[in-house]
Amino acid sequence: MDKMRPQVDPKTTPANVDEVHVDRLREAGLRPTKQRLILMNAMFGNGDRHFTAEELFREVGGAGASMVLATVYNTLNVLADHGVLRRVSVDGQRSWFDTNIKPHHHFYVDDDQQLIDIDSTKLKVVGMPELPEGRALEQVDVIIRIR
């Protein structure tokens, strides 16, 4: 089992799922608040996925959770800052969040406003420019826009 990505056994109870998320939040140095656990259950319940804050807000609201959009935004940004999620910016106006934090790239379908993962072994970036003095490469994100 990947330590950064605990897998949830399909036969686990809701309490056990919460325990997995509690552990994951604590490993990231975060307190497991009620709102964070509700969002973690929604985000990680069905494998890797991409979503915006608005989409997740509608999803948890439809499931009966009482939460304001600002809480969803703040929580997603904190989770991304702590490495639990990956933030993906396509157009500088809206951020998507990705539950797959392993290195990979994306297709962005303009018509559907949808992200699709590209296996990192299927795309090679060559010819990197020299980095400014005192800077270190963090990661390279490639987004290929398609219709």
Side-chain angles (χ1 to χ4, degrees):
M1 176 172 14
D2 185 344
K3 185 175 181 182
M4 287 299 295
R5 303 282 320 228
Q7 298 298 308
V8 178
D9 183 328
K11 297 179 215 154
T12 57
T13 65
N16 290 340
V17 170
D18 279 348
E19 287 175 25
V20 169
H21 297 315
V22 165
D23 291 345
R24 190 162 186 196
L25 288 167
R26 287 189 176 142
E27 285 175 11
L30 297 169
R31 286 185 323 113
T33 64
K34 179 181 177 183
Q35 289 87 357
R36 287 177 181 161
L37 290 172
I38 289 169
L39 292 172
M40 293 283 285
N41 285 330
M43 291 182 290
F44 293 100
N46 293 313
D48 288 327
R49 60 186 282 216
H50 306 97
F51 50 87
T52 64
E54 294 86 358
E55 290 168 344
L56 191 63
F57 173 71
R58 285 190 299 273
E59 186 178 319
V60 296
S66 177
M67 195 176 305
V68 296
L69 182 57
T71 299
V72 175
Y73 269 107
N74 292 336
T75 301
L76 293 177
N77 283 312
V78 166
L79 293 173
D81 291 344
H82 284 81
V84 177
L85 288 176
R86 183 175 178 180
R87 186 182 302 110
V88 180
S89 179
V90 174
D91 57 11
Q93 305 234 342
R94 183 174 12 167
S95 291
W96 275 257
F97 294 88
D98 190 346
T99 59
N100 179 0
I101 59 174
K102 294 178 182 171
H104 67 285
H105 306 291
H106 293 96
F107 286 115
Y108 177 71
V109 185
D110 275 318
D111 301 336
D112 300 332
Q113 296 184 338
Q114 176 187 11
L115 286 176
I116 301 169
D117 287 347
I118 301 172
D119 183 334
S120 63
T121 64
K122 302 294 182 191
L123 178 70
K124 300 291 182 206
V125 177
V126 295
M128 292 292 296
E130 187 175 322
L131 298 176
E133 188 175 328
R135 300 295 177 169
L137 181 65
E138 184 175 329
Q139 77 182 39
V140 175
D141 291 319
V142 175
I143 299 174
I144 299 171
R145 297 176 81 113
I146 61 175
R147 291 190 198 282

